[in-house]
Amino acid sequence: MVTRRVAEALLRAAARRWPVVLRDDLRREWIAELHVLAEAGQRVRMLRFAASLAASRAGAPLVDRAVWRRQVRRTAAALLLAPPACVAIVAVALFATAAVHGVLELRFGWAQRLQLPLFSTLCAGLGVLLALVVARAARHGVRVGPSATAVGVGLAVAITVVPAEVALLDDARQLGRVLPGVLVWLAGLTLALWAAATLARRGRPRLAWTVGVLAAFAAADVAVVATVVAAIPPIDPGQPVTELPPDGVDRISAPLWLLNCWTDWSFGLPRPTDWERFLITDLVLVEPNFYLACTPYALTWAIRTARAEPAAEAATAQAAA
């Protein structure tokens, strides 16, 4: 129908004159009204409706502007405060683990092995609590596309984690040992958030969570592997056997290094050995648990703020095609 196509073109022109955060909602309402007029056969009213919107001055009612400002404030608060909260989570978990270990080490011989699992469990648990808080804010956050969501969260995390890494290191020159892995994780997390937000916007939240969690885990795993490979030499098979273990790590166990950092366990496998696990966790003690604390809130924000494609709009697009 030529009249319908002309009206839709006018609505697209009208929508482009409004703020980005309002375009999708307005266009969806206008398309629904256009659909009603088209079903009633009122082609003249349909063109008049679309033309009036295209010719009218762009703006928003006071209530819309107030809602938009409130959404912007909540989005800014979530993006800027959640990453420092993740750093605080890691710090609290670290001090709590040290306190528990100090009490147990005098009574139990297995207290040493409890440290990393307890540290990781506290980071994960507190990270989930933070995600629940962020989920409430995400209901009223600014809804943008998957790419903007992923990049926004990634940048907010980046401007927090890099200064935190510098503060944790005794020598700033050591930053070169862990920074490449952190950058790899940031890139992988951004891709994971984009994939999760894209699936959630298409109305597939369960698949979004599955893909997001797996992709975020893979990003953290690759980040740990990149850090260890860059900083710790491989074991030379031709090296003479001595009483002291070599200061190297066999690369065959690389896929397990992230889990080793969380559990201090080799899962019954010969690699990595106790000494290799010590070298790995001595290099990347904090980073894997920061990844663990940060991922729940990041995925929650990306998925909750993603907007599924409206069925009515999809049906209208198919009818127009």
Side-chain angles (χ1 to χ4, degrees), residues 4-320:
R4 177 70 173 272
R5 293 182 182 276
V6 172
E8 289 178 350
L10 290 172
L11 291 183
R12 286 195 295 269
R16 284 194 294 268
R17 301 171 60 187
W18 286 72
V20 176
V21 295
L22 299 175
R23 288 178 188 173
D24 289 342
D25 289 337
L26 291 173
R27 185 171 177 270
R28 186 164 60 252
E29 293 176 4
W30 296 342
I31 288 292
E33 180 66 22
L34 202 68
H35 182 71
V36 172
L37 294 175
E39 288 291 328
Q42 301 180 13
R43 296 184 177 87
V44 175
R45 289 190 60 187
M46 185 170 59
L47 283 176
R48 188 187 307 159
F49 169 72
S52 65
L53 290 173
S56 62
R57 182 179 177 181
L62 182 61
V63 63
D64 287 342
R65 292 186 182 276
V67 170
W68 179 66
R69 292 192 187 99
R70 186 161 57 249
Q71 288 177 338
V72 171
R73 287 196 297 268
R74 291 181 177 179
T75 299
L79 293 182
L80 295 178
L81 297 180
C86 293
V87 176
I89 284 173
V90 174
V92 169
L94 191 61
F95 283 115
T97 300
V100 172
H101 175 260
V103 174
L104 295 180
E105 68 174 343
L106 301 177
R107 301 180 181 181
F108 305 102
W110 43 261
Q112 183 71 21
R113 286 296 182 91
L114 180 65
Q115 289 186 92
L116 281 182
L118 179 60
F119 184 27
S120 303
T121 301
L122 289 175
C123 287
L126 294 174
V128 170
L129 291 179
L130 175 62
L132 294 177
V133 175
V134 168
R136 295 175 61 88
R139 297 175 185 174
H140 307 286
V142 176
R143 299 178 184 271
V144 294
S147 299
T149 300
V151 172
V153 175
L155 287 177
V157 175
I159 63 177
T160 301
V161 65
V162 175
E165 284 287 347
V166 175
L168 286 173
L169 296 175
D170 296 332
D171 188 351
R173 291 174 296 181
Q174 297 179 0
L175 185 63
R177 302 178 64 190
V178 296
L179 185 58
V182 172
L183 295 179
V184 169
W185 173 70
L186 287 171
L189 178 66
T190 302
L191 291 176
L193 297 177
W194 173 82
T198 300
L199 291 170
R201 190 170 189 177
R202 294 176 181 174
R204 309 184 69 180
R206 292 184 180 179
L207 184 60
W209 277 108
T210 302
V211 172
V213 169
L214 292 178
F217 175 83
D221 197 19
V222 172
V224 171
V225 171
T227 303
V228 174
V229 168
I232 303 177
I235 292 179
D236 183 5
Q239 183 178 358
V241 178
T242 61
E243 294 182 359
L244 297 177
D247 287 332
V249 176
D250 196 330
R251 295 338 192 204
I252 195 173
S253 61
L256 294 176
W257 291 346
L258 176 62
L259 295 176
N260 298 149
C261 291
W262 286 340
T263 64
D264 195 23
W265 186 35
S266 296
F267 305 95
L269 300 174
R271 294 286 184 177
T273 63
D274 291 344
W275 176 248
E276 289 175 331
R277 289 202 310 274
F278 171 78
L279 293 177
I280 293 169
T281 55
D282 184 60
L283 175 67
V284 284
L285 173 64
V286 175
E287 290 77 13
N289 287 284
F290 180 79
Y291 305 158
L292 195 62
C294 187
T295 299
Y297 107 81
L299 284 176
T300 298
W301 180 266
I303 292 174
R304 288 295 182 91
T305 57
R307 191 163 39 188
E309 182 181 3
E313 187 172 353
T316 303
Q318 292 178 359

